[in-house]
Amino acid sequence: MGAKKKNTKPIVKATKASSPPSKTSASNGASSTSPPPLRTSVIPSVFMAVVAFMAGVVTPPSLHAVQDGANPSTSNSSLPDAPSSSFPLPAHVPCTPSNLENYLHATPVPGLHVVCVEPINESADGTVHAFPETDDISRKLSRSNSLRLTFYKDAHAAPLKRRVKVSGDTFGPGGVESIEWLHLKMQLIMELGLAPEGPTQQPWAAFTASGERIVGENDDVSKDGDGIGSNERTLRTIAASGMMVVVQGGNWVWPGVREGFRRTIELAFPPSSDESRNITIETLSLRPLVLSVEGFLTEDECDHIAEKAGPSMKYSSVSLKDADRGRAASDWRTSQSTFLLADNDRTLKNIERRTGSLTRVPRSHQEYVQVLRYGTGEKYDAHHDYFDPVSYKSDKGTLNLIQNGKKNRFATVFWYLTDVDEGGHTVFPRAGGLPPVRDHSDCSRGLRVQPQKGKVIIFYSLDASGALDPLSLHGACPVGEDNVKWAANKWIWNAPMGFVRD
């Protein structure tokens, strides 16, 4: 064979791809609750957060993961191999119609993108050589020198989608690591219209189909070695994934797909052990994104939280907006609450880890758990969990906490610790895009979620692009006669905050 031909820049070819698989288918409310004071000013490093997160994430079994399949082009069973991977690869989730149905939406979801990734071997004349049918994904990666990418921008099942091919620096087999991350990164930016990190924008990130973080906008990807952060590991992980999810806001968001959609995932229980179980996430609303998980907590765990919190419960406070200065918290909120630290409490630590595994967001983004008690008639009028910097212009402490809007509460995981026979619903009065409300105590409109012991809901205060979602307005309806509602929640931020350490 002659010498391999060198390229001075990546070869990128763009084409229009075929259609995707068809689918059957006044005031912003009360003030937000203040976070507890930080226990320490030491914030875990991004590297440690990523490592801890990767360790807690497992692959959902509802996806059809396969290990091989030939390309419909020239067959060449004599392709030589580059060295195989010396590190574990993620489960390969190909972009089959059934797998895409778990991620694509009938309408665009700004900031949430699906990218199909296919490793290929291309000759200098443009011929694509098919892999032997016996090749598993590891051998395909070693025989590949290019990637074929198909883009579903905004996770939209649109009739037309973009397809490009990115080649490495050499023709012939050289392994996908012959492609530089910088070249692939530029294609993602151009094809998906990704915005760079800015004063109010977190850096974007790419994930496997199961929510494992692969790489982010500002990650320092080294050309040397095959360790974490190396070009070889990054490219092989991307190529092995089969399907990649890119999130503009930088944190994993479970694709809602449609109301009533159910997704089964494998959840570590607790993540620090080898024990795991399957749970099902159900989409209750797309706008705002509200998900439900039954049986997330055991009865014993629910009782333990309520019993531990009982002695320290006090009537709840709120973080007052500029327009609400001087008003009493009881104008909106009549519950009792307290914050619990998981230190020296194995049960709470396991739940914190499980919450990180459920959301695919590192524990370092969590606040302490807030425990709530609502007696008969007690409630919390509709409000947002995020802090809109426009509403806190005179509150320097809040503006510093949120870095003038770059940091914010991203999602809330709300735990129901008791059943409630009457009232006590969590209400989302703007679900489905309903207009702004006039009466924030009104529980008659929108989505209502009934408390059920052991169930949790996840709702996102920021959308996938990282923007504030005004539709995430929510409240706690008054509890009925002779009922008591115990609940708790974990606020999750879009960046490490230093409340909880990984």
Side-chain angles (χ1 to χ4, degrees):
M1 293 180 63
K4 294 179 180 178
K5 182 178 178 181
K6 296 281 185 180
N7 289 330
T8 57
K9 59 182 180 180
I11 297 176
V12 180
K13 300 178 181 179
T15 60
K16 285 186 177 180
S18 58
S19 301
S22 60
K23 298 179 68 63
T24 55
S25 21
S27 167
N28 286 333
S31 301
S32 300
T33 302
S34 302
L38 283 173
R39 178 176 48 176
T40 173
S41 62
V42 178
I43 298 177
S45 69
V46 174
F47 173 77
M48 291 302 296
V50 171
V51 171
F53 169 64
M54 294 287 282
V57 172
V58 287
T59 304
S62 59
L63 298 176
H64 302 288
V66 299
Q67 293 298 322
D68 85 335
N71 294 313
S73 47
T74 305
S75 177
N76 189 344
S77 61
S78 61
L79 290 172
D81 288 335
S84 59
S85 299
S86 59
F87 45 83
L89 296 172
H92 181 60
V93 181
C95 283
T96 61
S98 59
N99 282 340
L100 284 170
E101 286 178 355
N102 293 328
Y103 295 87
L104 300 184
H105 300 66
T107 57
V109 181
L112 184 68
H113 312 291
V114 176
V115 182
C116 299
V117 184
E118 181 186 4
I120 59 176
N121 180 276
E122 182 183 23
S123 297
D125 61 3
T127 302
V128 176
H129 300 282
F131 299 111
E133 293 185 2
T134 55
D135 275 7
D136 61 13
I137 187 62
S138 182
R139 284 178 63 83
K140 288 178 182 178
L141 299 185
S142 297
R143 296 171 182 262
S144 302
N145 61 2
S146 304
L147 294 176
R148 182 181 288 132
L149 308 175
T150 304
F151 297 91
Y152 292 90
K153 186 176 181 180
D154 296 329
H156 187 206
L160 294 177
K161 53 188 179 292
R162 288 278 296 171
R163 178 173 290 163
V164 303
K165 184 168 58 180
V166 181
S167 297
D169 292 333
T170 60
F171 288 114
V176 292
E177 61 269 23
S178 66
I179 302 170
E180 290 190 19
W181 160 241
L182 180 61
H183 299 156
L184 179 55
K185 174 182 174 180
M186 294 307 299
Q187 285 304 305
L188 296 176
I189 292 171
M190 289 188 295
E191 296 296 335
L192 300 176
L194 297 173
E197 180 185 12
T200 59
Q201 178 68 58
Q202 294 289 339
W204 56 265
F207 302 83
T208 68
S210 64
E212 297 176 65
R213 189 182 186 279
I214 303 174
V215 65
E217 174 190 356
N218 293 335
D219 287 13
D220 184 13
V221 176
S222 170
K223 294 182 180 180
D224 300 323
D226 63 358
I228 295 175
S230 67
N231 190 81
E232 178 178 344
R233 181 172 290 213
T234 300
L235 266 295
R236 283 183 172 256
T237 301
I238 289 172
S241 67
M243 183 190 300
M244 181 169 61
V245 179
V246 180
V247 188
Q248 173 68 74
N251 289 288
W252 176 257
V253 177
W254 284 112
V257 182
R258 61 183 178 276
E259 289 184 11
F261 175 77
R262 296 170 67 86
R263 180 192 310 276
T264 300
I265 67 170
E266 188 179 9
L267 184 69
F269 188 85
S272 57
S273 74
D274 294 330
E275 185 180 358
S276 65
R277 66 170 180 173
N278 291 348
I279 62 168
T280 299
I281 302 174
E282 180 179 0
T283 301
L284 302 183
S285 168
L286 290 175
R287 302 176 60 228
L289 182 57
V290 182
L291 310 172
S292 174
V293 183
E294 294 185 4
F296 181 78
L297 300 174
T298 67
E299 289 205 8
D300 287 345
E301 288 172 334
C302 293
D303 296 341
H304 173 81
I305 295 169
E307 290 171 5
K308 182 169 183 174
S312 59
M313 300 294 285
K314 297 179 180 180
Y315 279 98
S316 307
S317 63
V318 297
S319 182
L320 294 173
K321 299 178 182 178
D322 294 346
D324 299 325
R325 291 299 177 93
R327 295 180 63 180
S330 58
D331 287 353
W332 304 279
R333 188 180 191 189
T334 56
S335 62
Q336 297 180 49
S337 62
T338 190
F339 286 94
L340 294 181
L341 277 64
D343 295 3
N344 303 316
D345 190 310
R346 183 176 179 181
T347 297
L348 285 179
K349 282 188 175 180
N350 285 341
I351 297 172
E352 280 186 350
R353 294 188 183 102
R354 201 182 317 150
T355 299
S357 182
L358 172 65
T359 60
R360 293 355 191 195
V361 179
R363 290 173 60 216
S364 59
H365 293 226
Q366 298 178 15
E367 289 187 36
Y368 309 134
V369 61
Q370 179 186 221
V371 184
L372 307 160
R373 183 190 184 278
Y374 294 85
T376 299
E378 293 184 331
K379 47 88 175 183
Y380 190 176
D381 290 347
H383 59 283
H384 293 107
D385 282 353
Y386 60 66
F387 298 94
D388 186 348
V390 174
S391 299
Y392 294 90
K393 288 182 178 179
S394 63
D395 187 342
K396 300 302 181 184
T398 295
L399 291 179
N400 288 336
L401 178 71
I402 65 174
Q403 293 185 356
N404 296 308
K406 185 169 186 176
K407 288 185 175 182
N408 224 314
R409 286 174 176 161
F410 162 66
T412 301
V413 182
F414 196 85
W415 314 340
Y416 296 104
L417 305 180
T418 56
D419 295 318
V420 180
D421 296 330
E422 181 182 352
H425 296 76
T426 304
V427 63
F428 296 87
R430 298 199 61 191
L434 291 175
V437 301
R438 294 186 176 182
D439 181 0
H440 290 84
S441 64
D442 183 6
C443 280
S444 66
R445 56 180 263 174
L447 170 69
R448 287 157 45 100
V449 182
Q450 183 175 6
Q452 179 182 337
K453 190 173 185 178
K455 179 170 75 175
V456 304
I457 58 173
I458 310 169
F459 55 92
Y460 293 85
S461 295
L462 309 184
D463 64 22
S465 72
L468 305 179
D469 185 358
L471 300 183
S472 66
L473 188 74
H474 63 283
C477 299
V479 173
E481 290 289 335
D482 300 323
N483 279 268
V484 175
K485 171 186 172 182
W486 281 89
N489 68 271
K490 269 286 187 180
W491 282 304
I492 300 174
W493 287 66
N494 61 352
M497 292 301 293
F499 294 102
V500 177
R501 299 180 181 181
D502 280 315

